[in-house]
């Protein structure tokens, strides 16, 4: 396998209701990434979109975007891993270049969640026969996890508020973010209960957006950009699809296995990671991933939030440009936004949110209730 770098990025502002159509979102993000790389052609496009079948009545979106983005005739495939779909597109693009099969690959994610209420379509990430008929949703499954966590480790809900405060503070300086205002602990604590103990600010929002990246072999990267960022690895691991089948749901085994593979493949350890673009779709998931990826002992992830270690000036900054919670989580696009943000941090282009020390960045993306987890590591 050869070394791979990000050589072009493109992102559109995440909005509650984009005026652009689904295809316009995907095409525009793809074109922005191509322009950034200074190319008008790639060999392959991998499309990340979870919900268009149900919300827009549109399948076959990879070919749709390729043809409308001026890439007629190229290989174009849709990739899916439920709510980790964008990361799956990124991994396929990474493998296509790393294997030597192609010289340039495009991963583009786009999602228009606002077209119709997406909750039942999102729930299809779970077991349709055994979980969905009980009324379970991704929100209720995360609420179950949070309730179990608070009880098992005897932690107060208040210990989680910094996950939301940090994300919303970091989003204020990100022009692509869905939310642009800081929030206080009082606002978090007084926000409405969505599914106890989860409150509104524990959740990522329903939103629309698109983002894309172009990948090339590292030894050719400077032909496309002055600011290449290496993709050190991309890994995937899975768990039992049904949470109730897992012997230890709070251990988030797929995240642990995926992170361990990434560390083993790169020779890095959690101590080497300077910042973590975590899948903070819910506060509890951010906490569990901090533990599973090796940044805290099980039962102690909340401390990194409560003690401010997740802030930009802390030991392990997370959600440095707003995270899923405040930049937004337009599902198929999310991991591509995270990749764009990691590139910004590693190349000194994160503006006011620039971290003082950013050499290694980690991305984790979670499918469903952590049944599929992808980990990517990046270096300047
Ligand atoms: N965080 C902060 N504020 C939020 C928010 C969120 N997640 N969701 C909505 N709001 C705010 C909005 O800003 C809105 O005010 P505005 O219109 O002035 O901007 C207000 O609350 C009402 O928004 P609305 O869209 O009507 O909220 P809702 O009740 O329909 O949805 C949730 C709230 C939490 C149910 C919805 O955001 C949700 O389902 N989130 C989870 C999505 C999910 O499961 N994703 C996959 C995870 S892997």
């Amino acid at each position: 396998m050869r070394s791979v770098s990000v050589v072009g990025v493109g992102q559109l502002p995440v909005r509650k209701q984009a005026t652009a159509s689904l295809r316009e979102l995907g095409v525009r993000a793809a074109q922005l990434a191509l322009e950034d790389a200074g190319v008008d052609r790639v060999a392959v496009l991998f499309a990340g979109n979870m919900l268009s079948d149900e919300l827009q009545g549109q399948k076959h979106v990879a070919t749709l975007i390729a043809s409308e983005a001026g890439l007629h005739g190229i290989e174009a495939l849709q990739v899916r891993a439920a709510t980790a779909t964008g990361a799956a597109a990124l991994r396929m693009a990474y493998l296509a270049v790393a294997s030597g099969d192609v010289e340039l690959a495009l991963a583009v994610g786009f999602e228009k969640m606002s077209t119709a209420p997406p909750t039942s379509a999102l729930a299809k990430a779970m077991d349709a026969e055994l979980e969905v008929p009980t009324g379970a949703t991704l929100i209720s499954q995360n609420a179950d996890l949070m309730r179990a966590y608070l009880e098992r480790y005897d932690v107060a809900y208040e210990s989680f508020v910094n996950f939301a405060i940090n994300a919303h503070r970091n989003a204020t300086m990100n022009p692509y973010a869905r939310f642009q205002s800081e929030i206080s602990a009082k606002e978090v604590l007084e926000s409405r209960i969505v599914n106890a103990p989860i409150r509104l600010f524990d959740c990522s929002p329903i939103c629309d957006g698109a983002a894309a990246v172009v990948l090339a072999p590292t030894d050719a990267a400077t032909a496309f950009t002055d600011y290449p960022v290496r993709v050190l690895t991309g890994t995937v691991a899975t768990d039992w699809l049904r949470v109730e089948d897992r012997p230890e749901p709070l251990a988030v085994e797929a995240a642990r296995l995926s992170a361990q593979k990434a560390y083993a493949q790169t020779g890095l350890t959690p101590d080497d990671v300077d910042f973590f673009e975590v899948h903070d779709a819910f506060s509890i998931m951010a906490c569990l991933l901090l533990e599973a990826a090796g940044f805290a002992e099980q039962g102690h992830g909340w401390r990194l939030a409560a003690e401010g270690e997740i802030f930009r000036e802390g030991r392990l900054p997370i959600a440095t440009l707003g995270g899923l919670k405040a930049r937004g989580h337009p599902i198929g696009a999310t991991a591509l936004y995270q990749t764009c943000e990691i590139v910004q941090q590693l190349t000194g282009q994160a503006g006011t949110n620039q971290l003082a020390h950013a050499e290694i960045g980690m991305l984790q993306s979670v499918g469903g209730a952590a049944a599929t987890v992808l980990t990517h590591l990046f270096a300047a």
Side-chain angles (χ1 to χ4, degrees), residues 235-282:
T235 65
V236 194
T238 53
D239 203 339
W240 298 105
L241 184 63
R242 285 189 300 280
V243 176
E244 71 172 36
D245 288 344
R246 301 178 197 165
E248 177 45 280
L250 296 179
V252 210
E253 188 65 2
R256 192 185 67 77
L257 289 172
S258 173
Q260 288 301 328
K261 277 196 227 181
Y263 294 137
Q265 287 178 8
T266 56
L268 296 172
T269 70
D271 285 343
D272 296 313
V273 176
D274 297 314
F275 64 105
F276 184 23
E277 291 306 334
V278 68
H279 191 100
D280 59 332
F282 300 95

Side-chain angles (χ1 to χ4, degrees), residues 148-217:
Y149 189 98
L150 298 182
E151 281 171 18
R152 169 158 337 157
Y153 301 115
D154 194 21
V155 181
Y157 171 85
E158 286 74 4
S159 305
F160 280 69
V161 294
N162 276 346
F163 285 112
I165 291 171
N166 175 61
H168 281 262
R169 182 183 298 157
N170 289 343
T172 59
M173 300 310 292
N174 179 0
Y176 301 108
R178 159 79 177 85
F179 295 114
Q180 298 285 339
S181 310
E182 291 202 25
I183 52 167
S184 65
K186 187 167 182 286
E187 283 172 285
V188 178
L189 293 170
E190 292 178 357
S191 64
R192 69 184 164 83
I193 290 181
V194 174
N195 192 317
I198 286 181
R199 292 178 181 272
L200 183 68
F201 285 110
D202 291 310
C203 305
S204 55
I206 306 295
C207 51
D208 302 341
V213 300
V214 176
L215 304 186

Side-chain angles (χ1 to χ4, degrees), residues 7-8 27 30-45 65-74 104-106 214 223-224:
V7 299
V27 166
Q31 289 173 337
L32 285 173
L34 295 171
E35 280 166 32
D36 192 44
V39 297
D40 55 14
R41 198 84 182 155
V42 291
V44 60
L45 174 155
I65 300 305
S67 56
E68 303 230 346
L71 300 170
H72 178 77
I74 68 163
L104 282 175
L106 175 71
V214 176
F224 304 103

